[in-house]
Amino acid sequence: MLTPLIKEIQEVLQKAPSSTQMKETLHLLFDESSYGWSKDYPVAIVHEKTRIKDPSTLDFFTQNNLIDEEGFTPCTYDDAQIEKIVTNAPSCIQRVNYIVAQTKTIPKPLFFNKFKHDYWKKIQSVEGLEAVIDVSVLERDTSACEAEATLRAIIRKRKEVHQLKKLTFVWIVETEGNPENIEAVLKHYFEEAYTLIQNVDKTYCMGWSKPLQSINMRYFVCPPK
């Protein structure tokens, strides 16, 4: 059974202009949605100064008051601080392509560390959030093994942020080629919860899991040698 969110995404992909780059502009197509959409939503921040090995990066955190007297980063950030980190220290922040909120009001992330010397502070709660969406653009001749490697890398990264495992996970692939290889990967990881949408000269392949935690990573389409 399709959820309202998945139905909305399908309709948007069917009507999207062929010139649209989904990875960059998907959120702009949901103005009339009851959901809130946020691009590049932050889900983890480096936790302490001892984890920052690059001197110039450490200088950036220090000069911008992002390290306290004990050597730890803050638990909350405003939009300007996030953008500064993205620009000056991209390796010190993790963001998802899109986060979907249950209302137009998108919750601000609050970060915390489970253990004192964790590498990352991760989002403390996903209350008010509905789904995490990742978009990949794959070439015409992408093999099933290459598509699988792309998907598994994304899933592993998302599952590292434990709160995200509670959310619906959606993977959208934009391609101009034959989607047969990508479909094999979608069927393996999402079973019946996938669809292929032909739109002018592009095909959008979409799989989803509610929640992310349900995706079985034990078996492969292309087993490691």
Side-chain angles (χ1 to χ4, degrees):
M1 182 177 178
L2 298 182
T3 66
L5 174 64
I6 297 301
K7 287 181 180 178
E8 281 198 17
I9 297 173
Q10 282 185 321
E11 291 172 1
V12 162
L13 294 176
Q14 288 166 351
K15 300 174 183 177
S18 60
S19 59
T20 298
Q21 301 297 316
M22 282 297 156
K23 192 166 188 177
E24 301 302 324
T25 59
L26 183 62
H27 61 300
L28 300 178
L29 302 176
F30 284 88
D31 286 342
E32 298 180 3
S33 173
S34 61
Y35 295 100
W37 285 72
S38 179
K39 182 175 180 288
D40 296 330
Y41 189 83
V43 295
I45 301 283
V46 69
H47 170 48
E48 60 177 329
K49 67 182 295 184
T50 59
R51 297 292 190 173
I52 304 173
K53 305 302 182 182
D54 177 52
S56 63
T57 300
L58 184 56
D59 286 345
F60 159 74
F61 272 85
T62 303
Q63 292 168 9
N64 285 274
N65 299 315
L66 296 174
I67 297 285
D68 65 19
E69 293 180 359
E70 295 182 353
F72 299 111
T73 57
C75 296
T76 59
Y77 301 80
D78 60 33
D79 291 342
Q81 288 173 317
I82 290 293
E83 288 307 315
K84 283 184 178 180
I85 295 172
V86 170
T87 300
N88 295 279
S91 65
C92 294
I93 186 170
Q94 289 186 37
R95 298 186 296 170
V96 298
N97 280 173
Y98 293 98
I99 206 77
V100 181
Q102 294 164 359
T103 68
K104 287 293 188 182
T105 301
I106 299 169
K108 291 286 186 182
L110 176 66
F111 301 94
F112 86 116
N113 53 294
K114 188 172 184 180
F115 301 106
K116 184 175 181 180
H117 296 294
D118 282 348
Y119 188 97
W120 295 103
K121 273 186 171 79
K122 302 172 183 177
I123 56 172
Q124 187 170 18
S125 171
V126 290
E127 184 177 354
L129 300 178
E130 179 73 17
V132 57
I133 298 177
D134 277 283
V135 181
S136 301
V137 181
L138 299 184
E139 297 298 326
R140 182 181 298 273
D141 57 352
T142 297
S143 68
C145 296
E146 291 168 331
E148 179 180 46
T150 298
L151 174 60
R152 287 182 69 91
I154 293 170
I155 294 173
R156 282 196 301 268
K157 198 72 172 176
R158 300 300 170 242
K159 283 189 173 184
E160 287 175 1
V161 181
H162 303 296
Q163 288 290 322
L164 295 182
K165 293 192 285 187
K166 302 175 183 178
L167 297 178
T168 296
F169 172 74
V170 183
W171 186 47
I172 300 172
V173 177
E174 177 182 322
T175 184
E176 296 181 0
N178 186 334
E180 182 178 330
N181 291 335
I182 299 168
E183 183 176 7
V185 173
L186 292 173
K187 188 171 185 179
H188 179 83
Y189 288 94
F190 301 103
E191 298 180 351
E192 300 302 317
Y194 77 90
T195 186
L196 306 182
I197 300 165
Q198 188 66 46
N199 183 333
V200 193
D201 56 346
K202 292 182 180 179
T203 300
Y204 300 111
C205 310
M206 180 171 67
W208 60 92
S209 175
K210 185 179 182 179
L212 166 63
Q213 188 170 4
S214 298
I215 300 177
N216 188 340
M217 298 282 281
R218 184 173 297 177
Y219 305 105
F220 291 76
V221 175
C222 300
K225 297 180 180 179

